[in-house]
Amino acid sequence: MRKIFIVMALLALAGVGLWAWLGGAEKVTAGRIEAVLVEQGIPAPVAACMGTRMADNLSLVQLRKLQQLQPSEDEGAVPINMAEFLERLRRVDDPEAIEVVATSAAICSFTAG
């Protein structure tokens, strides 16, 4: 009985490893990024493009940092002026993440439209 349990555990670990190696984690992340972008008003084709690019080019830590772009309690859903937008960018404190978001938005706006 114990040997069967060990074999099943090893098979489960191998399956998860194979799923991750084949890109399963990135696909889930890209889908989640796309869903958040669509919720924020980005058109679906642009959000899909950006989600894929961001999942490919950013680590999970960087993606978590980008959550700081979301409004705080005293802010509206969309920045009302450039100063508020820049304040949200400063909260991220990751130039590479900001660059990936900006270039993804620019590239995807032209190619997905």
Side-chain angles (χ1 to χ4, degrees), residues 7-24:
V7 170
M8 288 178 62
L10 289 174
L11 285 173
L13 284 173
V16 169
L18 181 62
W19 173 76
W21 184 69
L22 292 174

Side-chain angles (χ1 to χ4, degrees), residues 62-99:
Q62 289 174 311
L63 290 169
R64 294 218 188 276
K65 284 182 181 181
L66 288 174
Q67 289 178 330
Q68 296 173 9
L69 283 171
Q70 295 191 359
S72 61
E73 291 179 14
D74 60 333
E75 296 174 330
V78 177
I80 57 173
N81 56 34
M82 186 57 77
E84 187 177 323
F85 177 70
L86 291 173
E87 177 58 34
R88 290 186 191 187
L89 283 179
R90 274 190 221 105
R91 289 192 303 235
V92 174
D93 195 32
D94 188 333
E96 182 184 5
I98 293 169
E99 179 183 349

Side-chain angles (χ1 to χ4, degrees), residues 26 29-38 40-58 63 66 69 97-113:
E26 288 83 9
T29 303
R32 291 179 65 196
I33 295 168
E34 178 184 353
V36 169
L37 292 172
V38 169
Q40 297 299 319
I42 306 291
V46 176
C49 174
M50 288 181 68
T52 301
R53 289 181 52 80
M54 290 169 65
D56 289 345
N57 296 311
L58 295 175
L63 290 169
L66 288 174
L69 283 171
I98 293 169
E99 179 183 349
V100 169
V101 171
T103 56
S104 295
I107 290 168
C108 293
S109 295
F110 290 110
T111 60

